[in-house]
Amino acid sequence: MDMEENLEKRESKVYNWLSDKYNLGLIAILVFAFLVRLYYFTITKDQALWWDELIYGTLAKNILSGFAYSQMPILVGEIMIRPPIVPFLWAALMKIGFEEPASKFVFEFIPSFLSILMVYLIGEKMYNKKIALIASAILAVSWLHIFYSMRMLTDVPAPFFALLSIYFFFKAGEDLKLKPFALSIFSLSIAILIRYPVGLIGFVYIAFLLFTQKLSFLKNKKFWIGGIIGMIPIIILFTFNFFTSGSLFPAAENYAQSAGEKTSFAYYTLGFLPHILQWPFLILFVAGILIVLLRLFVGYDLINKDKMLKSDLFLSLLLIFTLAFFIFLIKAAEDRYLFIAVLSIVVFPAIAIEKIASFLQKNYKISAILVVSVLLLAGAYYNYTYGDAIIKDKAQSYYDIKQASLWMNTNLPNGSRIIGETSSPYIIYYAPNLVAVDYPPTSIPSNYTPDADYLFWSAYNWHNDYIKNYLPKIQNDLNPVYATFFDTQKTQPSVIIYQFKK
C-alpha cells in the first residue's frame, strides 16, 4: 500500500508539473533544440578541425604519448596558454576508445543542449518563467551557438559551466549560503580551466556584491570559506604552474604581451552583436537594454532591495565587463568570445518581448501571444537563413589538409619524417604512423638541410617569410607525390606533399 501511495504521489507531481504551460513550453524548446543540433551534428561530425581545435587534439595526443611532443617549438607556446581541461578530457575519451564525433558529442553537443536548460533555470530565478522561456528559446535558435556546438572548441562548454555558476550564485542568495556559493565558485573554476577569459565573471560577482552589499559581504565567513573551497581547481593549477614554470599564471603574461603590442582599442567588438543576434533579436536586445537602464536609473536607491533590479544590474555588469575586457584590455575579439555574456545577450531581448506581451495582454491577450510568436519565429528564421549556409560551407574548410594528412598516414612508409610550416599538429593528430619535424623556430640558415623525408606545403598556413624564401632554393631537391587544388583547372594548389630526393 505504501508503494502504491508513493507511486500516486510521484504521478501527481508529474501531472502537476506537466499541467504548467511554461513547463510544456520548455519541453517543446528542448526537443526542438536537440533535433536542430542533431541535424547539424550529422552534417558536420566528420569535418576537418580548425587550428585551435587541432591544437587541443594535438595536446590530447601529447598526453597519451607521455608528453613526447612537449618540447616541439610549435607546441611549447600552446601548452603555456591553453587551459588544461580540454586536452585532458579529450585524451581520456580517446583512451577509452571514443572517436572524434563521439568526443564532440560529449564535450560540445551535451553542454550546448544543457545551456538552454540553464538559461531557463537562471531566467526563472532572476525574473519569471515567461522571460526564462523566451530567453531559452532565443538561445535554442542562435545560429552562432549552434555553429560552435559543432566545433571542438571551448566557446560552448565554458559558458555552460559559467551559466551553472551563475545559477548557484543566485541560489546562494544575499546571505551567500555556503553550499550553493561554493558550487558557484567551483563551477566557475571549471569554466576558467576550460577557457581562461571566463574568469572575468568572478570580477562581475565582486562588483555586483559591492553594489548590493557594499563591503559587508567581506565580513561573511561563508564568502571566504565557499570561495576557497570553490577555487581549489584554480589553486591546483597555480601551484602546478609555479613549480613547472616559475609563474603562477603564464598565460596571463602572454595575453598582456599580446595586448601591449596592439596600438588601438577593439571597438569593432561591438559590431559582433548584430552578427550574433540577427534581426529582430538585435532591435529587441537594444530595447531590452534601454528598459533595464531606465529601471536602474529610476530605482537606483532600491537596487539592494528589489530582486528584478538586482537581476538587471547583474546582466548589465556582465555585458559591460565582457565588452570592456575585449575592447580595452585584450584589444582583440571574435564573435564567439562574447559567449561569456551569453546570458545578457539572450535575456535582454527576452525582457523587451515580455514587456511588449505584458502591455498587449491587458486588453488583447490573443494579440500578445501572436506578437510573441511572430517575433520568436522571425528571429528563428533569420538565424536559420544566416547560419545554415555558414555551418554547411565551413564544414568543408581545411578538409583538404585533413585528407592529405590521412593519405600520408596510409601511403607513406611508417616512421617517415614530415616537415612543413605549422604541419606538426596535423601530423601528430591525423597521421600517427609518421614523425613530425619542426622547422627552426626563428630563421632558416642558408645552408640548412632538414632531416626529413617529406615536405608538407599548405596554402593555408603561409605566414613566415623565411620559409617562403627558403622553399624555392630547394625545389630541385623535391619531387611532388600528392597535391590538391582549389580550382578544377589545377592552377591553384591548396596542399602539396613533396618527397626529398636522396
Side-chain angles (χ1 to χ4, degrees), residues 188-255:
L188 182 60
S189 296
I190 298 301
I192 293 169
L193 294 183
I194 295 174
R195 184 168 181 79
Y196 289 141
V198 179
L200 68 90
I201 292 178
F203 294 96
V204 174
Y205 289 162
I206 297 298
F208 176 78
L209 291 173
L210 284 172
F211 270 106
T212 57
Q213 299 187 28
K214 307 301 181 188
L215 295 175
S216 63
F217 71 94
L218 295 175
K219 302 175 184 178
N220 187 340
K221 64 180 182 180
K222 287 177 282 189
F223 170 80
W224 297 103
I225 296 172
I228 292 172
I229 293 173
M231 287 184 65
I232 287 175
I234 302 296
I235 294 171
I236 293 173
L237 173 68
F238 284 175
T239 303
F240 175 81
N241 286 342
F242 181 77
F243 284 106
T244 56
S245 67
S247 172
L248 291 177
F249 193 24
E253 298 170 8
N254 181 277
Y255 292 144

Side-chain angles (χ1 to χ4, degrees), residues 170-446:
F170 275 89
K171 191 172 183 179
E174 185 177 343
D175 190 43
L176 299 179
K177 298 179 184 67
L178 182 58
K179 184 177 179 180
F181 184 68
L183 286 172
S184 172
I185 304 306
F186 183 83
S187 299
L188 182 60
S189 296
I190 298 301
I192 293 169
L193 294 183
I194 295 174
R195 184 168 181 79
Y196 289 141
V198 179
L200 68 90
I201 292 178
F203 294 96
V204 174
Y205 289 162
I206 297 298
F208 176 78
L209 291 173
L210 284 172
F211 270 106
T212 57
Q213 299 187 28
K214 307 301 181 188
L215 295 175
S216 63
F217 71 94
L218 295 175
K219 302 175 184 178
N220 187 340
K221 64 180 182 180
K222 287 177 282 189
F223 170 80
W224 297 103
I225 296 172
I228 292 172
I229 293 173
M231 287 184 65
I232 287 175
I234 302 296
I235 294 171
I236 293 173
L237 173 68
F238 284 175
T239 303
F240 175 81
N241 286 342
F242 181 77
F243 284 106
T244 56
S245 67
S247 172
L248 291 177
F249 193 24
E253 298 170 8
N254 181 277
Y255 292 144
Q257 179 181 352
S258 177
E261 294 171 353
K262 297 179 176 66
T263 58
S264 59
F265 297 126
Y267 291 112
Y268 64 83
T269 303
L270 296 171
F272 290 133
L273 291 170
H275 171 72
I276 293 170
L277 285 160
Q278 298 296 306
W279 189 91
F281 291 155
L282 175 63
I283 303 300
L284 294 164
F285 172 78
V286 174
I289 290 177
L290 293 176
I291 291 169
V292 164
L293 291 178
L294 179 62
R295 290 197 303 221
L296 289 173
F297 177 76
V298 173
Y300 72 95
D301 56 336
L302 302 173
I303 290 176
N304 61 347
K305 301 176 183 178
D306 187 88
K307 170 187 169 183
M308 181 181 67
L309 291 177
K310 285 183 179 179
S311 301
D312 288 347
L313 174 65
F314 183 87
L315 290 178
S316 300
L317 290 172
L318 180 60
L319 183 64
I320 291 169
F321 273 55
T322 301
L323 292 174
F325 178 73
F326 292 112
I327 294 173
F328 301 112
L329 292 181
I330 301 299
K331 300 178 185 177
E334 295 180 24
D335 51 12
R336 57 196 174 102
Y337 295 2
L338 300 189
F339 277 162
I340 295 174
V342 67
L343 186 65
S344 301
I345 290 172
V346 298
V347 173
F348 279 139
I351 289 172
I353 294 175
E354 193 266 350
K355 183 65 70 174
I356 294 170
S358 296
F359 175 77
L360 293 174
Q361 199 166 9
K362 294 177 182 178
N363 299 305
Y364 310 101
K365 187 173 183 179
I366 296 178
S367 298
I369 297 173
L370 182 62
V371 168
V372 171
S373 299
V374 168
L375 289 173
L376 290 176
L377 288 172
Y381 172 77
Y382 282 101
N383 269 269
Y384 168 76
T385 54
Y386 187 82
D388 181 69
I390 295 176
I391 294 171
K392 292 175 179 177
D393 178 63
K394 296 299 182 182
Q396 303 302 316
S397 58
Y398 298 97
Y399 193 72
D400 42 2
I401 294 184
K402 174 182 177 179
Q403 291 301 100
S405 302
L406 294 174
W407 179 89
M408 287 192 296
N409 194 53
T410 302
N411 293 279
L412 301 186
N414 285 357
S416 295
R417 297 172 63 82
I418 315 297
I419 194 170
E421 182 194 0
T422 67
S423 66
S424 297
Y426 293 101
I427 305 304
I428 295 170
Y429 185 81
Y430 286 119
N433 294 335
L434 309 177
V435 177
V437 179
D438 266 348
Y439 275 114
T442 55
S443 63
I444 296 179
S446 58

Side-chain angles (χ1 to χ4, degrees), residues 99-147:
E99 298 292 336
E100 186 183 302
S103 297
K104 188 185 299 182
F105 189 89
V106 170
F107 198 73
E108 300 291 342
F109 189 101
I110 293 176
S112 172
F113 175 74
L114 292 179
S115 293
I116 297 162
L117 176 61
M118 290 311 306
V119 164
Y120 178 83
L121 295 176
I122 297 169
E124 181 184 14
K125 190 164 289 293
M126 293 177 73
Y127 293 99
N128 54 55
K129 289 185 176 182
K130 191 179 295 184
I131 288 177
L133 197 65
I134 296 169
S136 62
I138 293 172
L139 184 60
V141 301
S142 167
W143 77 269
L144 196 67
H145 196 253
I146 295 170
F147 181 91

